[in-house]
Amino acid sequence: MATIALASGVEERVQQPSQVTLFFRYLRRNKSLAIGLAVLLALVLFTVIGLLVVSPKAAYPLAAMTKQPPSWKYPFGTDFFGRNLLAAMAVGLWQTAVIGVLAGALGTLIGIILGFISAYFGGWLDNLIRGICQVLTPIPVLLIQVVVASTLDKRDVTIFTMALIVVMLAWMWPTLVIRSQVLTMKERQFVSVAKLSGVSDFGIIFKEILPNLLPFIAAAFVGQVFSAVFASFYLAVLGLGPLREPLLGNIIWSAQGQGAFFNGWWWWPIEPAIAMILILGSLALIIMGLDELANPRVRRSE
Amino acid sequence: MVKLKFLAGVLLAAAAALAPVAVYADDAAATAAPAEIAPKTPLPDLPRNKQLILGWSIASPIGVTNPWAVPGYTHQEGNNLMFEPLQYYAIFASKYIPWLAQSCEYTSKDFTSLEIKLNPKAKWSDGTPVTADDVVYTFEGQMKNDKLPYHADFVQYVDTVTAKDKETVEVKFKIPAPRFKFEVLTLKFDTGIPIVQKAWEEKQKDVNAAAGGVDIPHSGPYDLVAWNANQKIYNLREDWWAIKAGLRKDPAVKRVVIVNLGGQVGQNMDTVAQRLVNNEMDSSLDMRAQVIGNILAQNPKITSWTGNKSPFGYRDWWPNSLWMNTTIAPYNDVRVRKAMSLSINRDQINDVLYDGAKVATIYPFPLYPALQKFADSPAVKAEEAKYNPGEFDLDKSAKLMTDAGFTKNGDGLWEKDGKTVNATINGFEGIHSDIAPVLVEMLRNGGFDAAVNFGTDAQQNMNDGVPGLYMFGHGASLLDPDAALELFDGKYSTPNGSAAGAGRWSRYKNPEYDKLLDEMAPLGADDPKFQADAAAALGIYWRDVIDIPIIQWLHRIPYNNTYWTNWPSDTNVADGENGAFWAHTGMIEITSLKPSGAK
Amino acid sequence: MATFRLVVRRLLFLIFVIWAASTITFFIPRLSSRSAIRERFAQLARTGGFAPADLEKIIANMQHQFGLDQPLMQQYGEYLWNVVHLDFGYSLNKYPSTVLDLISQALPWSIGLIFVTTILSFIIGNLLGAIAAWPKAPRWMRTVATPFVLLTGVPPVLMGVLLLFFIGFKLKLLPLGGAYSIGIVPNWSWEFALDMGMHQILPALALILGSVGGWVLSMRGMGVTIQGEDYVNFAEHKGLGGLTIFRDYYLRNALLPQVTGFALALGTLVTSAIVVEGIFGLPGIGTVLQLAIQSNDFPVIYGIVLFITITVATLMVALEFVYPLLDPRIRKN
């Protein structure tokens, strides 16, 4: 039998599309993920460009004329104390991102470690970790965070300590989620096979289980970032954050304290409010999108 | 199967819910404060134009109306309408208003004895007359009970108190006490003591824990009739003794309702402002500068102490300074203190925060008429020229810091031995949220490591004397500068490691200064030696920058004229009291209001 | 027998939760050297000129009276003993009121609001979430439901401020604050109930709108998972009607895990209520807690935190006994 030689053009067409193209094609189907990522990207761009264009010092009081409405000179206006709100938003977004990512990563890491240990090694260790998680769950976390934040010496409240406060009681959920996923995987065939072929425990964890868990870890991470940003915003709005910094919650807190709405300085609290809605909203959309990603049965076909 | 589990669950929930009730019932006998005071019969309806509605943040525990209940009692939330003093003082008319006492005069030139003659018509709400026995009991109570606020003053000054007859009391002092009558026996602003009824207080097991409720006999014009978490209601009693005694006409305000604004105070003042504009209230606690301007603009019936003009308020007795512990480094170096003072731009404060009104100050006392005279006297002016306390000069400031051994580090902050100058401002969000951030920036520009601390530990930090600055007022002088200057008397300054008393946070100790104060103490304010010593002491205050005076305190209280007029103002001095309905003199103010004629 | 063991285990769980909450709330405020008694006097000094020269002695006396000068572990022991008796002691800031006094005074003003909003938010949020994930739902319904997720970005705090400004200030449709109109004495009439109701609308709206997004998100996640399950496909293939499948196969199964979350949501809502009550001047539990935190009045702080924790935990345990009624599969076991 003679082989039929294909025309060269046909061969090229059979090549697999690149990873990037596949990714974009998936985004087209998963609208919420797409929009969420787009908004987040826009915010990041705004922050980066903002920090380059405006001096960070303008985000602090007495930097500009006070109480100016948005204009060409001050695109976002200024507040009662003389902060240039454009700079304040850029710096505030950056600081919020730092808290969110730091606390999110820390919480997810704790969740992965504890979840793994608990599920993989089982026995009394599993019962202990699971028990602690369950017992701590009914305790109103935000309240404890409020109590802690108000107990600290004000000078100790910085961006970093806020991240720690926020993580303190937030790691239980990722631990339980990761634990349950690892438990399911433990029983699956590919793990038993790996064990039989003599792969070490660590090898199994890193080479077999972890890659399959990535969608869940990603979802847990985004979830943690969401609750970190939410909690830090809540603490700041109560006046418990590092007061001089232009964190979004702080700006709203000081605007409320000076009666911004009543006095007609609407732009002062509205701008950080919109920013916060965009941040949390985009994170929520991403979480929605990841839900679909994690469940292969539901992934919409093209 | 299902039923059993379900039942178990329900029982569990029920048990958890009922347990507190059981415990409460057990405790009921011991509880002192009632959950809520509601009138036994429904209150008669009163038209709106006979009621006065005030907005306040009610913090005292429900049911506490006994002036001797500590620390629950406060006169500010309506109880000033129940209890009265020997006399009031009208600060803007510079005169006493005799009340339960017709006269209260020193009977010896050296101020060691005092005679009080009561008004024979004075009566308690239970019909019994106010007698010398009540006064003696009140005074002796202060002397014996160390929980009461003026206990220390009584112990320091008072030797004996005797009732000469039913209406006369003689007080003998251990040492000359020229200011005792004004400071202790007169109610003005928030200081002084009211007279309590001996018969009722005697019957209490523990006067400091007895709440009082609606039953406590009082001499003031209003009765407490209702109190819950949302509001307090007081009704006028037509048998008030002052009407028959001719001291006052029958008050037009028949009922006072104090609305608990709760959490709306502080962070949500704009909502309170809007409610005022909507005529929900006739007056409320004071507003910030920006807010009150807008209130007046939105509702022309609302006015203030200065009518419709800036600064919309009257000078309160609490000028604020940046205090600091002058006994620890680096604040113990006068150059550092002066350098900090030089970095404060008082003109900019006036411009940014008060639209140009002259609110920033250099004095530790309010500029009431008598004190204004003192400040304008040649001796004081000379001291002011010598030390120039209000100066703003960053170069001079820098030179002083370098002389003191500091160098500027990479962040532009002064540093010595690896430490920056801690200029964290400990303050209170409710009142300092506008001034503190501005001061922080000014201090940072001067090279001091400043930040704001509105945390709940601010007060404790002041008391402990930690490194940093404390934003607080001087609640001392009203008539003469003695009280304010006395705040810095070395004998009250406690060593580090122990807590400082109120107003003693500077812990300043200077024998030269103390000597002046000792000379002043037994002298009347008109004595020329007193005036000279006071000027010299003020000079030392400025020379040593004991604290950095920042602003006078203004009370911008809104008056809604829709239903009530005749509010005190700079054009309507009336009896001379200030416009704060929560002060002791609030009773005078409220009983003088006239209906506007609106329905 | 199995039932008995289950009940015992659940009781043990409850006890552990209460112990953990008590310990955390005991130690944290005491780790700072702040004194609530001092705060109260400082407050009186600031606002009322109350500044006795021997303030220190007065404070020391009161601290002794409250047993605050004893060693920490001894205080802890006494405290745990008192917790068992549900005796939270006196409020330091509002002496002579006890903590239970304060809670019982404030509770009536909060309880209706918090329960009703949690339930409404649960129902509305889960329904919207279920719809959003159900591919068979009409397209317009899904597009309406999905944006509610964005509401998670507007916490009740923000929602309250915005609602107050737009509806209260600008449109003047609803009252600006307070639990009921000024000057009325609470009574059992319809007028009063209506008046109170009007005052609760905006705060309730703020709480519902601020928390509904969370339910939508989680329910949608649940729904997405269940969609893929075999029994749903099977039901479809069987030819059952859309609404039937939606209700009996999809909703019922997705809702089950959410029920546990209901108890937790109650706890979260109380935290949001702290600020919302502040915005609207409602004299409820949230305001009491806020004042307590401001003055570090720790008996009140842990009284309320414990109260909430016990309620939430008890509710969680109670709901577990309700499960079998909802899910026949568990009943069989």
Side-chain angles (χ1 to χ4, degrees):
Chain A
M1 290 276 228
T3 47
I4 306 169
L6 292 167
S8 53
V10 178
E11 273 179 5
E12 279 164 33
R13 236 177 287 140
V14 177
Q15 241 182 342
Q16 282 284 26
S18 68
Q19 285 281 52
V20 185
T21 328
L22 278 177
F23 180 63
F24 274 110
R25 281 205 202 145
Y26 177 67
L27 277 187
R28 210 164 22 125
R29 295 193 306 260
N30 193 339
K31 289 228 177 51
S32 39
L33 191 60
I35 300 180
L37 283 175
V39 172
L40 207 58
L41 196 63
L43 288 171
V44 169
L45 276 174
F46 170 78
T47 309
V48 169
I49 297 180
L51 285 175
L52 290 174
V53 163
V54 191
S55 149
K57 185 144 194 342
Y60 298 92
L62 294 183
M65 275 183 68
T66 60
K67 309 172 226 155
Q68 301 298 308
S71 60
W72 279 119
K73 183 158 180 230
Y74 300 114
F76 279 33
T78 64
D79 74 354
F80 177 80
F81 297 107
R83 295 179 202 259
N84 181 336
L85 286 174
L86 179 61
M89 295 294 289
V91 176
L93 279 171
W94 165 247
Q95 292 175 334
T96 308
V98 168
I99 294 181
V101 170
L102 207 62
L106 199 57
T108 315
L109 194 63
I110 297 179
I112 295 177
I113 296 176
L114 286 181
F116 257 102
I117 295 177
S118 182
Y120 202 73
F121 295 107
W124 64 270
L125 200 54
D126 179 29
N127 283 333
L128 181 67
I129 294 183
R130 192 172 51 120
I132 294 181
C133 287
Q134 284 182 333
V135 162
L136 288 180
T137 307
I139 300 180
V141 169
L142 274 178
L143 270 182
I144 306 286
Q145 289 170 341
V146 168
V147 173
V148 170
S150 44
T151 308
L152 287 177
D153 182 328
K154 279 305 132 178
R155 274 174 312 142
D156 287 338
V157 179
T158 63
I159 309 287
F160 302 104
T161 48
M162 279 204 77
L164 284 176
I165 296 174
V166 154
V167 158
M168 231 179 38
L169 280 175
W171 49 267
M172 288 94 69
W173 176 72
T175 304
L176 289 175
V177 164
I178 306 264
R179 175 185 166 278
S180 75
Q181 288 303 321
V182 174
L183 272 181
T184 359
M185 294 206 180
K186 224 172 85 170
E187 308 308 320
R188 295 242 193 112
Q189 295 252 311
F190 63 92
V191 173
S192 331
V193 167
K195 264 205 177 127
L196 281 174
S197 20
V199 184
S200 72
D201 277 339
F202 273 119
I204 298 182
I205 291 177
F206 281 104
K207 294 209 209 107
E208 305 285 345
I209 301 186
L210 209 49
N212 284 292
L213 274 184
L214 276 177
F216 295 98
I217 293 182
F221 176 67
V222 179
Q224 286 289 85
V225 172
F226 183 92
S227 49
V229 171
F230 188 91
S232 67
F233 177 70
Y234 187 76
L235 290 175
V237 162
L238 288 181
L240 294 172
L243 291 178
R244 193 170 159 260
E245 304 300 333
L247 276 179
L248 297 177
N250 278 345
I251 300 181
I252 294 185
W253 172 79
S254 60
Q256 276 295 92
Q258 300 303 320
F261 277 128
F262 184 79
N263 286 326
W265 311 317
W266 52 269
W267 60 90
W268 187 8
I270 292 272
E271 284 162 12
I274 294 180
M276 188 48 67
I277 296 178
L278 286 176
I279 296 179
L280 291 177
S282 65
L283 286 174
L285 285 173
I286 294 178
I287 293 179
M288 266 174 68
L290 288 177
D291 278 337
E292 276 189 29
L293 191 59
N295 190 342
R297 290 203 214 186
V298 174
R299 269 186 223 169
R300 302 175 201 205
S301 49
E302 203 155 351
Chain B
M1 272 275 49
V2 176
K3 281 216 165 89
L4 193 60
K5 285 187 208 167
F6 189 65
L7 211 57
V10 170
L11 279 176
L12 201 63
L18 287 174
V21 179
V23 173
Y24 197 18
D26 200 24
D27 244 14
T31 350
E36 177 179 311
I37 297 182
K40 294 199 183 51
T41 54
L43 290 178
D45 268 331
L46 272 186
R48 172 69 172 92
N49 59 7
K50 293 215 164 92
Q51 298 185 47
L52 182 69
I53 301 191
L54 305 168
W56 190 252
S57 174
I58 299 182
S60 58
I62 293 186
V64 177
T65 49
N66 172 13
W68 282 10
V70 169
Y73 178 80
T74 174
H75 60 275
Q76 290 182 336
E77 301 163 358
N79 290 336
N80 55 346
L81 300 172
M82 285 175 68
F83 285 95
E84 301 170 324
L86 295 173
Q87 60 262 337
Y88 290 100
Y89 192 83
I91 195 71
F92 290 108
S94 295
K95 66 177 205 292
Y96 286 94
I97 304 180
W99 206 255
L100 288 175
Q102 273 180 326
S103 73
C104 172
E105 298 301 334
Y106 285 98
T107 48
S108 62
K109 268 215 134 68
D110 63 352
F111 304 107
T112 51
S113 61
L114 184 75
E115 188 182 71
I116 303 172
K117 277 194 164 344
L118 290 175
N119 188 322
K121 300 219 171 77
K123 280 197 172 37
W124 296 107
S125 56
D126 60 2
T128 59
V130 178
T131 65
D133 284 339
D134 294 312
V135 178
V136 171
Y137 181 79
T138 305
F139 287 12
E140 288 188 338
Q142 292 276 350
M143 286 202 296
K144 292 193 218 126
N145 188 330
D146 59 2
K147 288 212 183 109
L148 294 178
Y150 285 92
H151 168 77
D153 293 276
F154 272 86
V155 164
Q156 182 181 7
Y157 288 103
V158 175
D159 189 20
T160 59
V161 185
T162 27
K164 288 240 195 79
D165 61 47
K166 276 202 134 267
E167 282 150 22
T168 318
V169 177
E170 188 185 32
V171 183
K172 285 220 185 313
F173 298 105
K174 295 181 201 162
I175 51 177
R179 282 163 263 286
F180 196 83
K181 169 185 172 187
F182 178 75
E183 297 291 346
V184 181
L185 301 181
T186 309
L187 280 187
K188 64 259 172 245
F189 291 89
D190 299 302
T191 56
I193 57 169
I195 304 296
V196 298
Q197 192 197 59
K198 170 176 178 186
W200 188 88
E201 297 282 354
E202 265 184 338
K203 282 194 284 211
Q204 308 308 314
K205 234 184 349 180
D206 177 2
V207 290
N208 296 124
V214 294
D215 299 321
I216 185 170
H218 50 273
S219 60
Y222 292 88
D223 292 325
L224 176 68
V225 293
W227 189 350
N228 68 10
N230 216 42
Q231 66 189 5
K232 280 174 99 163
I233 304 185
Y234 289 86
N235 273 350
L236 179 67
R237 59 186 181 93
E238 299 290 350
D239 58 350
W240 184 38
W241 69 271
I243 304 178
K244 287 211 198 65
L247 282 175
R248 267 225 145 2
K249 295 215 188 37
D250 189 14
V253 174
K254 305 292 177 199
R255 176 179 295 167
V256 179
V257 178
I258 306 185
V259 178
N260 185 7
L261 299 170
Q264 288 191 326
V265 165
Q267 268 307 94
N268 299 292
M269 280 308 266
D270 50 353
T271 313
V272 177
Q274 188 66 42
R275 291 171 81 176
L276 268 168
V277 168
N278 291 352
N279 290 332
E280 271 184 51
M281 296 180 272
D282 298 313
S283 185
S284 75
L285 67 178
D286 57 326
M287 299 279 158
R288 300 233 173 79
Q290 300 289 330
V291 176
I292 197 166
N294 275 309
I295 294 178
L296 267 50
Q298 289 188 34
N299 185 337
K301 284 215 174 307
I302 301 185
T303 58
S304 71
W305 177 268
T306 49
N308 293 328
K309 303 186 300 289
S310 180
F312 306 116
Y314 66 86
R315 206 153 267 147
D316 187 48
W317 71 315
W318 208 58
N320 271 230
S321 290
L322 284 173
W323 298 69
M324 65 203 99
N325 183 345
T326 59
T327 61
I328 56 173
Y331 317 102
N332 53 2
D333 186 337
V334 66
R335 289 172 297 194
V336 173
R337 302 200 293 268
K338 184 69 180 171
M340 282 201 269
S341 176
L342 285 167
S343 65
I344 306 287
N345 184 344
R346 289 175 179 78
D347 288 330
Q348 191 180 29
I349 291 178
N350 286 337
D351 283 333
V352 169
L353 293 178
Y354 305 109
D355 285 329
K358 301 244 171 303
V359 178
T361 187
I362 52 173
Y363 306 99
F365 45 74
L367 292 173
Y368 289 132
L371 288 165
Q372 180 75 59
K373 237 177 68 183
F374 173 70
D376 292 337
S377 66
V380 173
K381 282 280 173 210
E383 299 283 347
E384 191 188 325
K386 236 196 301 183
Y387 301 114
N388 203 348
E391 194 180 1
F392 167 63
D393 190 328
L394 287 175
D395 293 324
K396 263 199 192 158
S397 169
K399 180 155 187 322
L400 282 171
M401 289 305 283
T402 21
D403 286 346
F406 286 83
T407 45
K408 276 215 172 155
N409 68 9
D411 296 321
L413 300 175
W414 294 113
E415 205 180 276
K416 179 155 95 164
D417 300 328
K419 289 214 265 177
T420 55
V421 179
N422 181 348
T424 306
I425 301 182
N426 290 281
F428 305 96
E429 182 210 322
I431 48 181
H432 295 135
S433 70
D434 48 357
I435 181 86
V438 171
L439 290 174
V440 163
E441 286 312 304
M442 288 182 177
L443 286 166
R444 284 193 90 91
N445 284 339
F448 303 98
D449 194 355
V452 168
N453 176 19
F454 286 145
T456 46
D457 56 344
Q459 184 70 56
Q460 192 63 31
N461 287 343
M462 295 184 195
N463 295 345
D464 290 340
V466 305
L469 301 171
Y470 325 132
M471 185 85 187
F472 211 77
H474 303 78
S477 281
L478 289 170
L479 269 191
D480 66 47
D482 183 76
L485 295 170
E486 251 235 306
L487 289 175
F488 313 112
D489 192 326
K491 67 176 180 250
Y492 298 115
S493 302
T494 48
N496 288 314
S498 63
R504 317 287 181 199
W505 304 292
S506 67
R507 302 182 192 244
Y508 179 75
K509 255 186 164 50
N510 181 347
E512 178 196 356
Y513 184 83
D514 295 349
K515 187 159 154 300
L516 288 169
L517 287 178
D518 288 339
E519 280 177 12
M520 282 162 60
L523 301 173
D526 300 321
D527 194 315
K529 181 133 180 44
F530 177 90
Q531 292 278 320
D533 281 348
L538 189 59
I540 297 183
Y541 168 78
W542 281 329
R543 178 194 80 196
D544 287 349
V545 193
I546 303 181
D547 60 49
I548 307 175
I550 303 286
I551 45 174
Q552 294 272 330
W553 205 250
L554 287 173
H555 266 173
R556 301 180 188 86
I557 303 172
Y559 305 134
N560 191 336
N561 289 284
T562 309
Y563 292 102
W564 297 102
T565 57
N566 199 27
W567 300 92
S569 74
D570 58 353
T571 48
N572 178 19
V573 174
D575 290 299
E577 78 278 2
N578 62 46
F581 57 81
W582 59 86
H584 286 297
T585 43
M587 190 277 276
I588 306 271
E589 179 187 356
I590 290 178
T591 51
S592 310
L593 290 175
K594 299 201 181 93
S596 69
K599 284 284 156 276
Chain C
M1 248 302 92
T3 325
F4 183 66
R5 266 186 39 202
L6 189 63
V7 172
V8 167
R9 272 178 56 189
R10 287 282 143 242
L11 270 176
L12 271 174
F13 171 72
L14 204 56
I15 294 177
F16 262 115
V17 171
I18 297 175
W19 172 80
S22 324
T23 310
I24 295 180
T25 43
F26 175 83
F27 280 108
I28 292 178
R30 285 177 204 261
L31 286 178
S32 85
S33 56
R34 268 201 319 295
S35 154
I37 301 177
R38 272 241 167 76
E39 300 288 331
R40 176 65 179 153
F41 281 109
Q43 187 182 48
L44 288 174
R46 252 194 335 274
T47 54
F50 175 96
D54 54 355
L55 188 62
E56 282 312 306
K57 250 183 84 202
I58 299 182
I59 293 180
N61 277 339
M62 295 205 71
Q63 298 216 315
H64 181 75
Q65 186 176 7
F66 287 121
L68 291 173
D69 48 359
Q70 291 165 333
L72 202 60
M73 287 322 279
Q74 187 177 356
Q75 288 186 46
Y76 181 55
E78 278 185 23
Y79 162 71
L80 281 182
W81 179 243
N82 287 337
V83 168
V84 171
H85 288 107
L86 283 170
D87 170 12
F88 299 115
Y90 286 101
S91 156
L92 295 178
N93 193 286
K94 292 197 188 227
Y95 181 80
S97 288
T98 65
V99 175
L100 279 179
D101 279 339
L102 293 177
I103 294 183
S104 57
Q105 283 162 16
L107 203 54
W109 305 107
S110 292
I111 208 166
L113 184 69
I114 293 180
F115 262 106
V116 169
T117 44
T118 314
I119 293 177
L120 279 178
S121 166
F122 181 82
I123 295 177
I124 299 176
N126 280 313
L127 208 57
L128 286 175
I131 293 175
W134 186 238
K136 297 281 190 301
R139 201 174 185 140
W140 66 267
M141 278 179 107
R142 272 189 295 145
T143 17
V144 160
T146 315
F148 271 86
V149 168
L150 291 174
L151 280 178
T152 48
V154 192
V157 176
L158 215 47
M159 191 58 85
V161 169
L162 293 173
L163 281 175
L164 189 60
F165 181 62
F166 287 112
I167 302 187
F169 279 35
K170 291 279 166 196
L171 296 177
K172 300 201 196 312
L173 284 176
L174 288 168
L176 283 175
Y180 50 84
S181 295
I182 301 174
I184 304 181
V185 177
N187 53 61
W188 292 106
S189 67
W190 279 118
E191 294 172 328
F192 181 68
L194 194 64
D195 185 56
M196 237 189 100
M198 291 290 282
H199 280 86
Q200 302 274 337
I201 292 182
L202 279 184
L205 216 56
L207 285 172
I208 294 179
L209 287 178
S211 52
V212 87
W215 287 119
V216 174
L217 197 60
S218 60
M219 184 56 163
R220 193 187 166 282
M222 244 5 279
V224 161
T225 316
I226 294 211
Q227 258 180 60
E229 294 292 328
D230 290 332
Y231 58 82
V232 175
N233 287 326
F234 186 59
E236 281 178 28
H237 291 314
K238 267 204 324 194
L240 289 173
L243 202 58
T244 321
I245 301 181
F246 182 74
R247 199 188 56 219
D248 294 333
Y249 287 78
Y250 175 60
L251 196 62
R252 238 174 140 178
N253 285 295
L255 210 53
L256 218 45
Q258 298 288 71
V259 171
T260 335
F262 178 77
L264 285 177
L266 201 68
T268 318
L269 212 72
V270 176
T271 319
S272 305
I274 298 180
V275 191
V276 170
E277 281 183 9
I279 296 174
F280 292 97
L282 297 171
I285 291 252
T287 311
V288 173
L289 187 57
Q290 188 174 46
L291 285 175
I293 292 178
Q294 275 172 10
S295 59
N296 205 33
D297 189 352
F298 38 86
V300 178
I301 295 178
Y302 46 71
I304 295 185
V305 173
L306 271 181
F307 186 78
I308 298 173
T309 310
I310 294 177
T311 312
V312 171
T314 312
L315 202 57
M316 270 175 75
V317 170
L319 281 172
E320 284 195 33
F321 289 108
V322 170
Y323 255 36
L325 294 179
L326 294 175
D327 188 351
R329 294 179 298 182
I330 304 182
R331 232 185 278 167
K332 285 271 163 59
N333 292 349

